Amino acid sequence: MKMYMFEAGILKSQKQYFTLGQGVGQAFDVPVPFALIDHPKGKVLFDTGNALETVHTKEEHWGAILGAYDPVMSEEQWCVNAIKKIGVAPEEIKYVILSHLHLDHAGGVGHFPNARYVVQRDELHFAYVPDPYMKLAYIRKDFDKDVPWFILEGRQDDGFDLFGDGAITIHFTPGHTPGHQSVLVNLENSGPRFLAADSCYTTDNLAGALPGLMWNAGETVRSVERMRHMQDAHGVTVMTGHDPEAWKSVKQAPAFYD
Ligand SMILES: [Zn+2]
């Protein structure tokens, strides 16, 4: 099994959105990562980054949220084109696991014709009727598509084993949104790696700093405590979701973890 990490461009943003009350007004440019896991039984994407529309028509596609998160992405960095660069066709993707349906994660929904889209039921519901303060972060055009959803049911499905061999398990990590999920990838040489996505933006969040955007603070803290336990007790490497410093040491495609 191999895991490739990609950058679907960056978001030009500010520090306080990632660490609550800290770095107000301070420029903070973050990577928008996604991953391709090449498992013997099928190829899997974890997240899909920004939509292609953000390359040329972002004002029309994203609207007012550009004031807080401004995407800078090239056509080559869009998930569908990025995987082609390592020789993977979109038709080969069997599952697209979506950490959540925010605009910088769900931009590739509907572009993988043979994939099932793994999402939490609570996330899919919330995305259609989000709390007002989070409404701008969901772009309905990105996810309101007739795709084969593969619905997971929160704690009841926690640790869902995608191929039944313990290689890729899906963990319910709510807090950032009601239906956030993360993935644990058990790699032979690189060891177990936890793709936290937005349940843990940065290493500061992993150390206990609250993120600047949360649906529920208590759930956010509990999710981070769980991954810290995985790190300390199970030797898991936590890969943060939007940390510009940590991202510098991540191997990016065509390099891979195996
Ligand atoms: Zn998010």
Side-chain angles (χ1 to χ4, degrees), residues 99-105 137 176-177 180 198 201 213 242:
S99 63
H100 62 312
L101 294 173
H102 275 167
L103 71 185
D104 54 331
H105 298 261
H176 176 67
T177 63
H180 192 285
D198 287 7
Y201 287 140
L213 177 69
H242 287 293

Side-chain angles (χ1 to χ4, degrees), residues 36-246:
L36 170 76
I37 307 155
D38 190 355
H39 183 281
K41 288 185 183 166
K43 294 180 172 62
V44 179
L45 276 185
F46 179 60
D47 281 337
T48 59
N50 305 324
L52 180 61
E53 289 88 338
T54 62
V55 178
H56 298 299
T57 54
K58 61 185 173 185
E59 288 79 10
E60 186 190 326
H61 198 73
W62 274 24
I65 202 168
L66 289 173
Y69 308 101
D70 183 4
V72 180
M73 185 179 81
S74 67
E75 285 191 15
E76 297 75 50
Q77 288 177 309
W78 182 50
C79 59
V80 172
N81 296 329
I83 64 169
K84 284 179 187 166
K85 276 193 167 171
I86 59 159
V88 176
E91 292 77 15
E92 289 179 73
I93 302 297
K94 193 165 187 178
Y95 296 102
V96 177
I97 303 170
L98 295 157
S99 63
H100 62 312
L101 294 173
H102 275 167
L103 71 185
D104 54 331
H105 298 261
V109 172
H111 295 280
F112 301 93
N114 300 315
R116 300 183 74 187
Y117 291 80
V118 186
V119 69
Q120 293 283 335
R121 185 182 298 282
D122 287 348
E123 185 66 20
L124 196 51
H125 287 185
F126 187 75
Y128 280 94
V129 195
D131 287 337
Y133 70 91
M134 214 178 248
K135 193 169 168 45
L136 292 177
Y138 288 101
I139 308 294
R140 195 179 285 191
K141 286 171 283 192
D142 284 347
F143 61 82
D144 186 13
K145 295 180 178 175
D146 187 18
V147 296
W149 296 108
F150 186 122
I151 307 274
L152 294 181
E153 304 283 0
R155 295 202 162 82
Q156 189 184 314
D157 278 330
D158 200 16
F160 185 84
D161 188 342
L162 193 61
F163 291 112
D165 59 358
I168 301 171
T169 53
I170 302 172
H171 299 263
F172 187 48
T173 47
H176 176 67
T177 63
H180 192 285
Q181 58 187 358
S182 305
V183 163
L184 179 63
V185 188
N186 275 302
L187 293 153
E188 197 179 333
N189 296 313
S190 307
R193 290 186 168 256
F194 190 76
L195 303 177
D198 287 7
S199 61
C200 187
Y201 287 140
T202 65
T203 47
D204 283 351
N205 297 144
L206 190 59
L210 285 175
L213 177 69
M214 289 171 282
W215 163 72
N216 181 305
E219 294 281 29
T220 298
V221 171
R222 280 189 280 276
S223 290
V224 169
E225 275 180 358
R226 267 191 66 187
M227 66 188 85
R228 210 182 294 132
H229 175 79
M230 284 180 168
Q231 177 187 258
D232 296 343
H234 305 177
V236 168
T237 302
V238 175
M239 298 183 78
T240 50
H242 287 293
D243 189 322
E245 272 311 304

